[in-house]
Amino acid sequence: MSLLRRLHPLDWLAGGLLVLGALCVATGLLPTGPAADVMQRIGPLVVFLATVIVLAELTGKAEVFDVVATWVARAGRGRYPLLFCLCVLFASVTTITLNLDTTAVLLTPVMLALATRVGIAPVPLAMTTVWLANTASLLLPVSNLTNLLAADRIALTPSEMAATMWAPQLAAIAVTMACLWGFYWRPGRRGETRYTPPPLPRPADRVLFRVCAVACAGFLLAILLADVPLWSASMAAALIVVVAFWVRRRDALRLALIPWRLLVLVPGMFLVVETVNAHGLHDVLASAMGSDNGLAGMLRSAAVGAGVSNVLNNLPAYLAGEAAIPVANHEQLLALLVGVNVGPVITPWASLATLLWFERCRWHGTRIDLGRFFGTGFVLAVAGTLAATLALAATS
């Protein structure tokens, strides 16, 4: 009973989804063929989740994130508005050039370490990471897996996609900045008016620090410059770090490093979504979005994409929505992309990046008020999706 009392609401959600998914297969609601296809498809994703979180956790123990956070704090020169702009720029560039999941895993510890180093509340910095991990993922195919799927459908090169999505991306980031400042960063929320830039830290184990820093840099370069699958890059980097800790700090290697909650939640979530999709989701989405390729159809598609993402998850929401949009309706498809990228900021399961972010916050000990998360996320989802869709319509 004591173990059950310690479970987080997301633990109950993860377990419930896995049980529900298993029941769908056992009762025949989801045939074994599609279920096996789903499990095969998410295998690399599960490997990525497990290895990249181990990589991030051990890298944090090696104090790499403390050093990076200190650089950011010192660049802010003690002024919160400047620090805010630097954090927004840092999170946006990381998401655009790498991908939103990497931002959630590797940048979240940097932001939380920054809060510790500077002595300010961690929640504003944490929210900057999770919101921009989602809303800044429109510009390039690499920024989000949904972008890669959309680029294949409408045959856009990276430069062509950037030329098409620059205005929606700027609009989404601008709305995100306004919401971040109003809800979390303004003086009444953050407390102090200035902060004292901290001195550069000296890692206790310089060998571990260097190995972990090189492993993270190698991971980022591999996924940015080479055609390397995320799961293989994260596995290789995590293996290097684990070996280094095995040699120098074996006591830090524990089974608790593995993100059991996510490894339970992801298979259950995909099984449940696949079941729903097999029983009429396509028809419902086609009816909700219509076939208008003009402004009205774009607004409907963006709204449906954002709504379904927060109910299910943005990846299955995009796949189901894409199948329901006529092949020739490129603007309507891009509006759906806006909805599934900018909109999934209300519920913890709306995007994989948000789930990864929650896991990082839990490890750090940062408490996220779910009620406030839902409420402020709803405002951002509505305002950001609307602004980005209107910007797309104005420039397409």
Side-chain angles (χ1 to χ4, degrees):
M1 292 297 293
S2 59
L3 176 61
L4 294 179
R5 293 194 191 98
R6 291 200 300 268
L7 290 178
H8 190 274
L10 290 179
D11 294 322
W12 288 101
L13 173 66
L17 281 174
L18 184 60
V19 170
L20 183 58
L23 286 174
C24 290
V25 177
T27 58
L29 283 173
L30 179 62
T32 55
D37 291 341
V38 168
M39 291 297 100
Q40 184 176 4
R41 189 164 68 243
I42 68 171
L45 175 61
V46 171
V47 174
F48 167 71
L49 285 176
T51 54
V52 80
I53 287 181
V54 170
L55 170 65
E57 181 63 23
L58 293 178
T59 300
K61 290 180 181 295
E63 301 179 72
V64 174
F65 298 138
D66 291 284
V67 172
V68 176
T70 301
W71 289 341
V72 175
R74 291 169 69 86
R77 302 177 182 177
R79 300 196 292 269
Y80 275 106
L82 179 57
L83 180 65
F84 170 70
C85 292
L86 287 171
C87 289
V88 168
L89 179 64
F90 194 10
S92 299
V93 170
T94 302
T95 299
I96 289 169
T97 58
L98 299 174
N99 64 70
L100 73 167
D101 298 329
T102 303
T103 297
V105 172
L106 296 184
L107 189 58
T108 301
V110 172
M111 292 295 197
L112 295 176
L114 173 60
T116 301
R117 298 291 299 172
V118 174
I120 62 176
V123 173
L125 290 158
M127 294 303 299
T128 300
T129 306
V130 70
W131 277 2
L132 286 166
N134 289 284
T135 62
S137 66
L138 281 171
L139 193 65
L140 297 174
V142 72
S143 307
N144 199 322
L145 180 55
T146 55
N147 296 1
L148 291 171
L149 298 171
D152 289 340
R153 164 84 175 256
I154 57 179
L156 287 178
T157 65
S159 59
E160 290 170 341
M161 187 165 188
T164 302
M165 302 300 285
W166 67 269
Q169 183 61 93
L170 287 178
I173 291 176
V175 172
T176 304
M177 290 182 68
C179 289
L180 280 170
W181 187 265
F183 290 132
Y184 294 102
W185 275 85
R186 60 188 170 87
R189 289 291 178 186
R190 67 171 186 255
E192 301 294 331
T193 57
R194 292 184 64 86
Y195 67 91
T196 301
L200 285 173
R202 295 183 177 181
D205 190 322
R206 290 184 175 272
V207 173
L208 275 181
F209 172 83
R210 289 168 182 156
V211 170
C212 291
V214 169
C216 282
F219 166 68
L220 297 178
L221 289 174
I223 62 176
L224 182 61
L225 301 179
D227 187 17
V228 177
L230 277 176
W231 68 269
S232 61
S234 63
M235 178 183 288
L239 182 60
I240 292 171
V241 170
V242 167
V243 170
F245 269 85
W246 178 264
V247 173
R248 301 189 66 86
R249 280 185 57 189
R250 195 171 302 181
D251 60 303
L253 299 177
R254 298 172 288 111
L255 284 176
L257 291 171
I258 300 173
W260 301 109
R261 177 197 294 168
L262 287 178
L263 300 186
V264 170
L265 186 147
V266 170
M269 178 182 68
F270 272 82
L271 286 173
V272 171
V273 170
E274 188 68 21
T275 303
V276 174
N277 198 37
H279 290 272
L281 179 60
H282 177 275
D283 295 334
V284 172
L285 292 181
S287 176
M289 292 188 295
S291 58
D292 179 10
N293 199 37
L295 177 59
M298 294 171 68
L299 291 172
R300 288 174 64 177
S301 295
V304 170
V308 176
S309 294
N310 284 289
V311 173
L312 300 176
N313 179 268
N314 69 330
L315 181 55
Y318 174 78
L319 291 172
E322 180 191 70
I325 291 177
V327 175
N329 288 13
H330 288 179
E331 283 73 24
Q332 190 181 11
L333 182 67
L334 291 174
L336 171 68
L337 190 66
V338 168
V340 300
N341 283 19
V342 179
V345 290
I346 303 174
T347 58
W349 57 85
S351 73
L352 178 58
T354 306
L355 288 170
L356 291 167
W357 173 81
F358 263 104
E359 197 71 21
R360 294 294 82 216
C361 290
R362 185 177 70 86
W363 271 104
H364 184 265
T366 298
R367 181 182 176 275
I368 303 299
D369 186 306
L370 289 179
R372 183 166 178 77
F373 182 86
F374 292 147
T376 57
F378 178 81
V379 174
L380 173 60
V382 173
T385 301
L386 178 61
T389 306
L390 292 175
L392 176 64
T395 56
S396 61

